[in-house]
Amino acid sequence: MIRFSLNQLLAFTKQTLDPREGLRLYSNFLRNQVPIRLNDLTNGIKLQHIPFQTNQRILALDRFSEACRRWESDISQCDKEITDQNSFSSKLQKAKEELNSEMEATMGSFYHQFEELKNNQSQHNHLFPSVNELLNFLHHHLIVLRILIDQHHYFHTKNEKSENQVCGVVNQKAKVATIIGWAFADTHSFCVEKYGEAPEVKISGNLDSEIVCVESHLHFMVMELIKNSMQATLTNYSLQKSPLPNINISIDKIKVGNNQMVEIVVEDFAGGLPVNENHRDVFNYFQSTAQPVTPTYTYSGLF
């Protein structure tokens, strides 16, 4: 299995100026790599320590493993030299959609299991390390597979008028402030639709900062941070007459070793976590201090 960074993926997909040759090379690369990664995913599930031994949990992971095995076999049987790009692209997209669906079912089964264990906090905490390890493993592999498959979709439907800095799902010069602005606009709309009001966001710092990234990933992460800040701000200030305080987001360039990095800091005035408690579990899956939200049947959903 070949490991790669986004920069390496860019170098690979830009090694030829002929789009048809690039598509051929990348298709052959995926025909080899996708089955290997699916096999690694299936074997990894077998080796992971699974803390839940319920029929629901077993069924979810068995279905996930079966989907991996089926698509591994299906893609492996493609011709070594891919000639029908339409069929191959369709097959990859269907594999991605099914694996995403099975991942949602798996997450749902674990979530319901944790809901049942909330009254037994000691047992609940004991299970977190195993669950985190398994779900981190599944998410990591699926994110990589999605990037590889979406990159092929870009080649297959390539628009010759695409901007030079964008190569498939990767943007070589993504403007951080612009993506944060998009994330704020989306989150602000959800918050107003759900609660009738929303705090404003002030963006400062190195507003011209650019990074190599998958824009949708950065958008999602920033949106989740802003969502948490907005919910906490509304919880702490909704009963007060004073206007809602701004959420401040700063963008700074920092150096880590020999690498130039971009740091994004989100700051709110919603009270934070209690200082006298242990917060080692703050990054655990399904861990939240927020009150359960009643879903709405509009675009804000579970916001």
Side-chain angles (χ1 to χ4, degrees):
M1 182 168 61
I2 299 175
R3 300 185 180 278
F4 61 89
S5 65
L6 290 182
N7 279 320
Q8 289 169 328
L9 181 63
L10 279 172
F12 179 88
T13 53
K14 294 176 69 176
Q15 63 180 302
T16 175
L17 297 177
D18 183 353
R20 290 173 298 180
E21 178 64 9
L23 179 59
R24 185 189 70 81
L25 290 172
Y26 194 61
S27 295
N28 292 336
F29 171 76
L30 290 190
R31 190 255 176 215
N32 172 269
Q33 282 296 303
V34 170
I36 291 174
R37 292 174 185 277
L38 288 172
N39 180 264
D40 187 57
L41 190 50
T42 305
N43 291 333
I45 291 174
K46 294 178 183 177
L47 295 174
Q48 293 284 334
H49 170 64
I50 312 299
F52 303 142
Q53 297 301 324
T54 66
N55 290 333
Q56 184 184 33
R57 196 280 309 159
I58 293 171
L59 178 61
L61 282 177
D62 283 352
R63 283 171 55 94
F64 191 97
S65 297
E66 176 57 32
C68 290
R69 285 192 293 267
R70 184 169 60 256
W71 286 110
E72 176 195 346
S73 174
D74 202 15
I75 295 172
S76 295
Q77 292 173 12
C78 294
D79 295 336
K80 290 186 177 179
E81 188 69 25
I82 304 298
T83 55
D84 187 348
Q85 294 293 346
N86 288 328
S87 175
F88 189 62
S89 177
S90 176
K91 188 171 292 189
L92 289 174
Q93 289 297 318
K94 287 180 180 178
K96 184 188 78 170
E97 290 169 7
E98 183 172 347
L99 292 174
N100 282 341
S101 176
E102 294 300 340
M103 184 63 191
E104 288 181 11
T106 301
M107 290 291 288
S109 71
F110 277 96
Y111 174 77
H112 289 303
Q113 188 77 51
F114 268 100
E115 286 293 297
E116 294 173 5
L117 292 173
K118 276 187 175 179
N119 293 330
N120 190 338
Q121 192 67 25
S122 60
Q123 185 179 8
H124 188 237
N125 290 336
H126 172 71
L127 294 172
F128 266 130
S130 298
V131 172
N132 286 335
E133 185 178 356
L134 171 64
L135 295 181
N136 281 335
F137 174 81
L138 296 179
H139 278 298
H140 172 78
H141 278 69
L142 277 185
I143 288 171
V144 172
L145 282 167
R146 284 200 296 261
I147 290 175
L148 289 172
I149 291 172
D150 286 343
Q151 193 74 351
H152 179 273
H153 182 70
Y154 159 79
F155 269 116
H156 184 56
T157 60
K158 186 174 181 180
N159 182 353
E160 297 299 334
K161 295 181 180 180
S162 297
E163 297 181 54
N164 291 331
Q165 68 264 28
V166 179
C167 185
V169 296
V170 184
N171 190 336
Q172 303 172 77
K173 294 183 177 181
K175 291 191 176 296
V176 177
T178 299
I179 296 174
I180 292 175
W182 293 339
F184 161 64
D186 289 341
T187 315
H188 189 272
S189 297
F190 291 153
C191 193
V192 170
E193 197 275 338
K194 184 84 173 187
Y195 303 106
E197 61 178 337
E200 295 298 318
V201 168
K202 181 180 178 182
I203 306 172
S204 62
N206 290 284
L207 302 182
D208 294 328
S209 296
E210 298 176 338
I211 60 173
V212 177
C213 74
V214 178
E215 286 188 353
S216 60
H217 291 182
L218 181 58
H219 178 277
F220 176 80
M221 289 185 285
V222 173
M223 190 172 172
E224 286 297 303
L225 290 173
I226 296 175
K227 180 184 78 172
N228 290 345
S229 286
M230 284 188 174
Q231 288 176 332
T233 299
L234 285 170
T235 299
N236 282 274
Y237 287 87
S238 60
L239 299 179
Q240 300 182 20
K241 294 183 179 180
S242 58
L244 296 174
N246 289 339
I247 296 170
N248 298 319
I249 301 179
S250 63
I251 306 168
D252 293 300
K253 294 180 180 180
I254 60 174
K255 193 151 188 174
V256 179
N258 294 324
N259 298 316
Q260 188 76 26
M261 310 287 283
V262 172
E263 179 183 64
I264 302 171
V265 178
V266 180
E267 179 187 29
D268 61 49
F269 300 91
L273 296 170
V275 295
N276 59 342
E277 295 181 10
N278 188 337
H279 302 299
R280 288 182 299 178
D281 60 352
V282 70
F283 292 110
N284 287 339
Y285 285 92
F286 312 123
Q287 179 67 22
S288 175
T289 57
Q291 294 298 315
V293 174
T294 302
T296 51
Y297 297 99
T298 54
Y299 61 86
S300 62
L302 280 168
F303 186 93

